[in-house]
């Protein structure tokens, strides 16, 4: 059997197979390869880097326990991203319940930056209202459809469209 | 995805967004700790025979019926009236419980017990340990569930009470 270098995804899928057999070192390789992407999703969905660290951990812990559901027909990164989206949304629902319990005031959102730029858009996304932020991230960054977003967030597709419109409007204002 | 509906300014900014944002620190050590099982040494489960009088074992089993141990953990629900601050932090209090359980198990290891009672108490502890594992599995899915936390505390307290009873009873004859 050829051992010639394969593309990154093929190598990762073989690593995923090893992880499925309980190889924690293989799972660590998968973590290192995917953590940047998952953490970006967590930061943008939650609006908090501190919370994103916790959510990212939760994603990988859940991925380890659900590895048996990964089918090697799809790329591991695709499977992981789908799991991450749902895990992060679940985590944020728990946050909402915890906030209601603790009655903690939300930190003041950053004011919109004065000029356009990569970092400024990141900050502006973090400053969006939670639902608008989630819809924007899922639609315009992650590429989900409105019906998919509606199913994940428990809202109607029409509501998702409205939230997206609102998010884009606010971001435009922030970037100009 | 209807990116073509995007304002050009926003589109340009989105195009420049990085695909990845690395955490400020390496999260792997914490993840690994959550994935690796608890060290077995602190909670020896297959020890030499423990024997307690039948009455103590029966009381321990009846006091917390097996069915209750296997009740499905409560579904995630809105927070109970108990303030979150009143619940112990899982890592430190549970470590204390494990330590106490290990100490009690060490005390009763060499106590001569009735075989029937031994089997009964052993089965109770097996069910309790299984319940603890099941609650941990649920907490991994729903880490902020205060009712699960409280349930875990109650189960641990029951384990300690069984072990305490076994450790302090006078030894059986023979």
């Amino acid at each position: 059997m050829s051992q010639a270098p394969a593309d990154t995804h093929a190598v990762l899928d073989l690593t995923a197979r090893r992880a499925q057999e309980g190889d924690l070192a293989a799972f660590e390789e998968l973590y290192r390869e995917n953590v940047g992407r998952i953490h970006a999703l967590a930061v943008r969905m939650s609006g908090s880097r501190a919370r994103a660290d916790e959510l990212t951990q939760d994603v990988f812990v859940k991925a380890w326990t659900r590895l048996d559901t990964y089918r090697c027909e799809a790329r591991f990164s695709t499977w992981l991203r789908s799991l991450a989206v749902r895990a992060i949304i679940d985590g944020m629902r728990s946050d909402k319940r915890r906030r209601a319990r603790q009655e903690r005031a939300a930190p003041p959102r950053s004011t919109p930056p004065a000029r356009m730029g990569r970092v400024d858009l990141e900050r502006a996304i973090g400053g969006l209202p939670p639902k608008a932020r989630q819809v924007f991230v899922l639609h315009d960054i992650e590429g989900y459809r409105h019906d998919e977003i509606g199913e994940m967030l428990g809202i109607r597709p029409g509501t998702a469209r409205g939230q997206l419109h609102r998010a884009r409007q606010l971001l435009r204002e922030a970037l100009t | 995805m209807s990116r073509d509906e995007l304002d050009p300014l926003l589109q340009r900014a989105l195009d420049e967004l990085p695909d990845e944002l690395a955490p400020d620190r390496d999260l792997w050590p914490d993840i690994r700790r959550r994935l690796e099982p608890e060290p077995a040494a602190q909670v020896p489960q297959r020890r030499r025979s423990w024997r307690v009088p039948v009455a103590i074992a029966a009381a321990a089993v009846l006091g917390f019926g097996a069915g209750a141990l296997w009740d499905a953990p409560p579904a995630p629900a809105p927070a109970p009236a108990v303030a979150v601050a009143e619940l112990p932090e899982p890592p430190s209090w549970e470590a204390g419980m494990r330590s106490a359980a290990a100490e009690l198990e060490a005390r009763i290891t060499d106590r001569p017990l009735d075989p029937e009672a031994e089997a009964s108490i052993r089965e109770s502890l097996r069910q309790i340990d299984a319940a603890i594992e099941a609650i941990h599995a649920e907490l991994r899915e729903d880490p902020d569930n205060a009712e699960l936390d409280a349930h875990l505390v109650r189960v641990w307290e029951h384990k300690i009470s069984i072990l305490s009873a076994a450790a302090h009873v006078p030894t059986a004859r023979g």
Side-chain angles (χ1 to χ4, degrees), chain A residues 133-151:
Chain A
R133 181 176 67 237
Q134 291 170 35
V135 172
F136 176 81
V137 170
L138 290 172
H139 188 273
D140 283 354
I141 298 178
E142 297 296 325
Y144 286 96
R145 299 189 313 266
H146 288 298
D147 60 328
E148 293 173 316
I149 294 169
E151 187 267 327

Side-chain angles (χ1 to χ4, degrees), chain B residues 42-135:
Chain B
Q42 279 189 314
V43 187
Q45 294 183 353
R46 285 171 292 280
R47 296 295 293 263
R48 292 175 293 280
S49 63
W50 303 330
R51 304 189 195 105
V52 292
V54 173
I56 293 293
V61 171
L62 290 171
F64 201 103
L69 289 173
W70 289 107
D71 283 345
V82 175
V84 170
E86 294 179 28
L87 290 174
E89 288 297 320
S92 57
W93 76 256
E94 193 168 11
M97 288 287 195
R98 289 188 189 280
S99 178
E103 186 179 338
L104 288 166
E105 285 162 355
R107 279 193 220 168
I108 65 178
T109 295
D110 293 323
R111 301 173 72 82
L113 302 172
D114 180 88
E116 186 181 335
E118 175 193 352
S120 180
I121 203 78
R122 196 187 284 270
E123 176 60 17
S124 291
L125 292 173
R126 187 195 67 76
Q127 290 185 21
I128 289 172
D129 288 336
I132 290 172
E133 284 305 307
I135 296 170

